[in-house]
Amino acid sequence: MTETCQGTIAAGHPKVAEAGASILAAGGNAFDSAIAAVFASFVAEPTLTSVAGGGFLLAHTAQGEDVLFDFFTQTPCSKVGANPIDFYPVNANFGDTVQEFHIGLGSMATPGNFAGLLHVHQRLGRLPLKILVEPAIALAETGVIVDDFRAYSFILLEPILMANAATRDIYAPGGDLLKVGDRFCLPAMAEALANLAQSGIDGFYRGDFAHHIVQACAAQGGYLTQADFDQYQVIERSPLRLNYRGNTLLTNPPPSSGGTLIAFALSLLSQNDLSQFTPGSVDHLRTLVEAMRLTNVARRDGFDANLYQENVADFFLSPDHAAPYWHDFKQQVNKWGSTTHVSVIDSDGNAASVTTSNGEGSSYVIPGTQIMVNNMLGEEDLNPHGFHQWRTNQRISSMMAPTLVLKNGQAQIALGSGGANRIRTAILQVISNVVDFHLPIAEAVVAPRIHWERETFNLEPGFDREAIGEIGDWPVNDWLWWSQPNMFFGGVHAVTVNDDGTITGAGDFRRGGHHLSIPQT
């Protein structure tokens, strides 16, 4: 007899997966597990996410309710800040490409992660909050061993992690950056999390946490004021819903853009039968390239400028608007982001897909907490119209796209990714690998990926270089062949329900992912 699961979780770090799995074993549901895992990620993945970051959780309940909890960061209520604004560039070197980020107090937006986790807990949780935070507290006290991926991310973000005494105390306590095999403990964060579990929403948004941030901004050049923390609200949205080859996909709706762009690309792929191709073949990649390229064209053609218009997704995905792109697609094919993700499905049928981020971090650490605040106002991907051009008191648009695939009304796949602009293409390819080519989830996640952006075609190793040269009208020397798989191409952590009812998962090796299943007792 096949052993069924009480639930399965996939996450970006083994300790994060263990935290979520322990909650499933204790009788918690998928939402309890996801909340505990995200708290643990603040400790184990501090360069990717933070209590003072932002995110989204997409939920499908056993009763059939679908809801997207938007707790992403918010632009400040005012552009009047201390003069001059503390805002400056740093470079992150991926090895094969260099990406510029901006940090400082002027890069901080109003955090949403803590408010979001508490809101989801109140709506859908089963166990007391104190129990959900305990794994993260214990992890912060005992410490985390630095693995290869974490050591790589520390080197990548060295300009931020060495920016001031507070960051150096965390990431270079002996003077040099922590390396593989070192243990880093966060005792102040453990105490802070324990206090927050006790004091709740007021403890962060109207207590010392907010006060420290507000005072630093006023004195040293940031935008945030107490009004920003007082007015912050978690928003419940109806997920964007689409059909792809008989499956219902739920994803993040506007004003975030990632989900809608995934939906548009899938609408292009639906114009062709991918099952006729061999995965990774010239014809398969030509199809993916055209879908990515035309999605970028369509994005520039009025989508970004109208993100906050009512029903923008309905218009963008409508047959009347998409038809010309469908036509072009058929003509052609027939001829770091620092983000992390947790996916959970339990045996009751609850599914949670949650993506959180701290950007690259502002380098500002809340005194006495070891918690770094986000730099969302300094992320180029989130500020397409230019820095300091944001509208006041507005939810920032994000590429984060926690996604669920339903079959016959039941959750079949929960997935999402980190990776800034690569989030949508990573999720797109994993969904296509599963739905079009029927790959097991582990194979779908590990398969090499491509990404098209700014007229550059990025390819991971694993494809036939000679055959690839036959694709499209672009000279091969304009393409970027990566020397090895890389976090640049996202980190898709996914859980799926198999035909026999078992629940399996896959953590993306590109970002140190891991999955765990809890047998039903």
Side-chain angles (χ1 to χ4, degrees), residues 18-50:
E18 287 176 16
S22 71
I23 296 301
L24 289 173
N29 60 22
F31 311 112
D32 292 320
S33 175
I35 291 167
V38 173
F39 273 115
S41 72
F42 299 153
V43 179
E45 304 177 82
T47 56
L48 301 181
T49 188
S50 168

Side-chain angles (χ1 to χ4, degrees), residues 93-98 152 458 480-486 489:
N93 191 339
F94 285 85
D96 290 304
T97 188
V98 175
Y152 170 73
N458 295 270
L480 181 57
W481 287 93
W482 286 67
S483 59
Q484 58 187 356
N486 193 277
F489 293 89

Side-chain angles (χ1 to χ4, degrees), residues 143-162:
V144 181
I145 301 297
V146 178
D147 58 16
D148 290 336
F149 175 73
R150 248 49 62 173
Y152 170 73
S153 68
F154 293 165
I155 294 171
L156 183 71
L157 300 176
E158 182 175 6
I160 300 172
L161 305 184
M162 300 291 280

Side-chain angles (χ1 to χ4, degrees), residues 27-114:
N29 60 22
F31 311 112
D32 292 320
S33 175
I35 291 167
V38 173
F39 273 115
S41 72
F42 299 153
V43 179
E45 304 177 82
T47 56
L48 301 181
T49 188
S50 168
V51 176
F56 306 87
L57 188 149
L58 178 59
H60 172 81
T61 71
Q63 293 73 38
E65 180 185 10
D66 300 316
V67 59
L68 186 285
F69 297 94
D70 178 345
F71 45 92
F72 199 50
T73 54
Q74 186 97 347
T75 60
C77 293
S78 172
K79 286 191 175 183
V80 178
N83 195 17
I85 294 295
D86 180 38
F87 188 89
Y88 57 96
V90 296
N91 288 321
N93 191 339
F94 285 85
D96 290 304
T97 188
V98 175
Q99 190 171 357
E100 184 178 82
F101 305 108
H102 286 72
I103 63 173
L105 291 163
S107 71
M108 301 190 307
T110 312
N113 273 343
F114 186 65

